[in-house]
Amino acid sequence: MNRQIKFVGTAVGIFVCYFYYGILQESITKGKYYLEDGVREPFTYTLSLVAVQCVVNYIYSLIILGAFTPLKASDGKVSNQLYGICSLTYLLAMVTSNMSLRWVSYPTQVIGKSCKPIPVMMLGVLIGGRSYALRKYMFVLLIVVGVALFMYNPSKAATSTTNAIGLGELMLLMSLSMDGLTGAVQERMRGEANAKPNSAHMMKMINLFSIAYTFIGKNFG
């Protein structure tokens, strides 16, 4: 019973946090900002926004490590090289996902990102060396069909003469590709460690590298 309560509590917590996160993200990226002369300016500080997220994630991982899941000798060890690669793909996925909101609506972004299992599975097989049961491929196929049906607009399709993809959609595609690479690298991490790495420590290291990347990007980019 305790496990069931924990599962429900965790699921509700994830839903509430992501729901509120989405509201805040859309408010920031879609907000109205004006220069001193009254000219409206779009939100262009995507890298700074992601940097703040990484700092908060890093602090949270320290709290989890100190209070709930401290490092143990039996935890798997992962090389800094893999952490560096994983952090880069993780960071690029967040940056491109946030940048896409300049051209697409937040619901479109959420629906697009719901296809994340597709690149994760594909690159997990090709790069991470994973193998999946047939039913998982069927689940992903159902996701693709569901998203396609939800996004399809018959009236728009009938009047459209081109199938051009906008910048927002390209950003989403790049974000999904980076998500897939992140998942593949994480599979390599688990394979290299020969034991399950401490998840809070992984979160700490990935966000630490990401903070370094954003600092370099802001100051030398």
Side-chain angles (χ1 to χ4, degrees), residues 13-34:
I14 291 172
F15 176 81
V16 171
C17 289
Y18 266 107
F19 180 75
Y20 188 55
Y21 170 81
I23 293 173
L24 293 176
Q25 187 185 37
E26 187 173 26
S27 299
I28 293 170
T29 57
K30 294 285 191 180
K32 296 180 180 180
Y33 303 97
Y34 296 92

Side-chain angles (χ1 to χ4, degrees), residues 165-210:
I165 296 178
L167 265 177
E169 287 80 4
L170 287 174
M171 288 292 176
L172 282 176
L173 285 173
M174 185 174 178
S175 179
L176 288 169
S177 300
M178 291 301 105
D179 282 330
L181 285 173
T182 301
V185 175
Q186 287 176 340
E187 292 298 337
R188 284 288 182 93
M189 285 179 171
R190 296 184 183 97
E192 180 191 78
N194 294 321
K196 186 178 180 181
N198 184 299
S199 57
H201 181 68
M202 284 181 65
M203 181 180 180
K204 169 192 164 185
M205 294 302 295
I206 290 172
N207 282 284
L208 180 61
F209 273 95
S210 297

Side-chain angles (χ1 to χ4, degrees), residues 18-198:
Y18 266 107
F19 180 75
Y20 188 55
Y21 170 81
I23 293 173
L24 293 176
Q25 187 185 37
E26 187 173 26
S27 299
I28 293 170
T29 57
K30 294 285 191 180
K32 296 180 180 180
Y33 303 97
Y34 296 92
L35 300 175
E36 292 182 358
D37 55 4
V39 177
R40 185 175 176 180
E41 183 184 35
F43 181 80
T44 57
Y45 301 98
T46 304
L47 192 60
S48 298
L49 175 63
V50 173
V52 171
Q53 290 180 240
C54 292
V55 170
V56 173
N57 290 342
Y58 177 76
I59 294 171
Y60 180 75
S61 68
L62 292 178
I63 295 171
I64 297 298
L65 272 171
F68 302 104
T69 58
L71 275 174
K72 300 175 185 176
S74 59
D75 290 333
K77 303 296 188 296
V78 178
S79 66
N80 286 333
Q81 181 182 6
L82 282 178
Y83 277 129
I85 296 171
C86 187
S87 301
L88 183 60
T89 57
Y90 162 79
L91 182 65
L92 288 173
M94 287 200 297
V95 170
T96 49
S97 178
N98 279 279
M99 286 182 67
S100 71
L101 289 172
R102 292 182 61 183
W103 297 281
V104 300
S105 65
Y106 185 76
T108 301
Q109 187 223 46
V110 172
I111 294 166
K113 292 288 283 185
S114 69
C115 296
K116 180 178 175 177
I118 301 170
V120 169
M121 287 184 69
M122 288 175 58
L123 294 174
V125 172
L126 296 173
I127 299 175
R130 278 294 300 270
S131 59
Y132 298 96
L134 180 60
R135 68 176 183 275
K136 289 196 174 183
Y137 290 102
M138 295 301 297
F139 293 157
V140 170
L141 179 62
L142 289 173
I143 291 173
V144 174
V145 172
V147 170
L149 290 173
F150 189 88
M151 294 289 289
Y152 179 67
N153 188 332
S155 59
K156 184 177 179 181
T159 57
S160 177
T161 57
T162 63
N163 292 317
I165 296 178
L167 265 177
E169 287 80 4
L170 287 174
M171 288 292 176
L172 282 176
L173 285 173
M174 185 174 178
S175 179
L176 288 169
S177 300
M178 291 301 105
D179 282 330
L181 285 173
T182 301
V185 175
Q186 287 176 340
E187 292 298 337
R188 284 288 182 93
M189 285 179 171
R190 296 184 183 97
E192 180 191 78
N194 294 321
K196 186 178 180 181
N198 184 299

